Amino acid sequence: MPRRPRKAESKFRVAGAQAFPTREVLEVADRLHSTAIHLLRRVRKQDVAIGQGPARLSALSVLVFGGPKTLGELAAAEQVKPPTMSRIVAGLARSRLVEITADAQDARRMRIRPTARGVKLLQQGRERRIAYLASHLGGLSQQELAQIAESTNILARLLQAWA
């Protein structure tokens, strides 16, 4: 007979996830979630110098690393409604970070692609965030740095299998 989930476990059940993770797995997941959020918030502070908001930079990142998209594809990738994405794209276009052209197969649909200026801005922002993070990682011991490197490899493998 399958065991019933404890209250702490039942609130963490997610469609497609392993059923009833152990307490240890839940604790690691909780710490990883919190740590990832705090890490991203800290490095994101470097984006202030770029002069674009996080929503615009995130959408631009999807275009730079994922290629041209329709408005609907971009909205889906960013998990926002198309009207919200329309406003984000309009701001990116005003800043000349994206260009909007008619889709080759369907003239009613528009394709959004980053401009050279958009690619350069995003690369500069990425370099700034990486340099900021590296300046803090530089204070770790070789062993700690190796542990973070290995953990990063493990997380990358997890994400590849996640699909």
Side-chain angles (χ1 to χ4, degrees), residues 89-103:
V89 168
L92 290 168
R94 278 192 306 275
S95 298
R96 297 189 325 258
L97 301 174
V98 298
E99 62 182 26
I100 305 166
T101 57
D103 187 293

Side-chain angles (χ1 to χ4, degrees), residues 72-105:
E73 291 168 339
L74 190 54
E78 290 294 281
Q79 300 176 348
V80 298
K81 302 273 187 219
T84 300
M85 188 51 65
S86 285
R87 289 189 294 277
I88 292 168
V89 168
L92 290 168
R94 278 192 306 275
S95 298
R96 297 189 325 258
L97 301 174
V98 298
E99 62 182 26
I100 305 166
T101 57
D103 187 293
Q105 282 77 34

Side-chain angles (χ1 to χ4, degrees), residues 35-141:
T35 302
I37 288 172
H38 288 283
L39 176 65
L40 290 174
R41 283 181 184 152
R42 292 201 182 163
V43 297
R44 196 171 55 203
K45 288 179 182 179
Q46 299 304 302
D47 292 341
V48 171
I50 293 174
Q52 298 292 324
R56 286 187 187 180
L57 290 173
S58 184
L60 184 59
S61 176
V62 169
L63 297 170
V64 168
F65 296 109
K69 304 267 184 247
T70 64
L71 185 72
E73 291 168 339
L74 190 54
E78 290 294 281
Q79 300 176 348
V80 298
K81 302 273 187 219
T84 300
M85 188 51 65
S86 285
R87 289 189 294 277
I88 292 168
V89 168
L92 290 168
R94 278 192 306 275
S95 298
R96 297 189 325 258
L97 301 174
V98 298
E99 62 182 26
I100 305 166
T101 57
D103 187 293
Q105 282 77 34
D106 185 350
R108 296 169 297 176
R109 248 198 316 200
M110 306 306 279
R111 302 252 351 134
I112 305 154
R113 74 182 73 247
T115 62
R117 178 181 175 159
V119 171
K120 182 178 178 182
L121 179 92
L122 193 69
Q123 288 172 337
Q124 288 172 339
R126 181 183 170 105
E127 289 169 8
R128 180 178 275 117
R129 287 187 303 276
I130 289 170
Y132 177 74
L133 183 54
S135 73
H136 292 281
L137 291 174
L140 298 176
S141 70

Side-chain angles (χ1 to χ4, degrees), residues 5-23 25-31 33-34:
R6 288 178 250 147
K7 282 186 180 184
E9 292 173 331
S10 63
K11 73 178 183 178
F12 288 105
R13 287 196 343 201
V14 178
Q18 180 184 20
F20 313 119
T22 66
R23 180 174 299 283
V25 170
L26 288 172
E27 288 172 2
V28 170
D30 185 39
R31 287 192 339 260
H33 178 265
S34 181

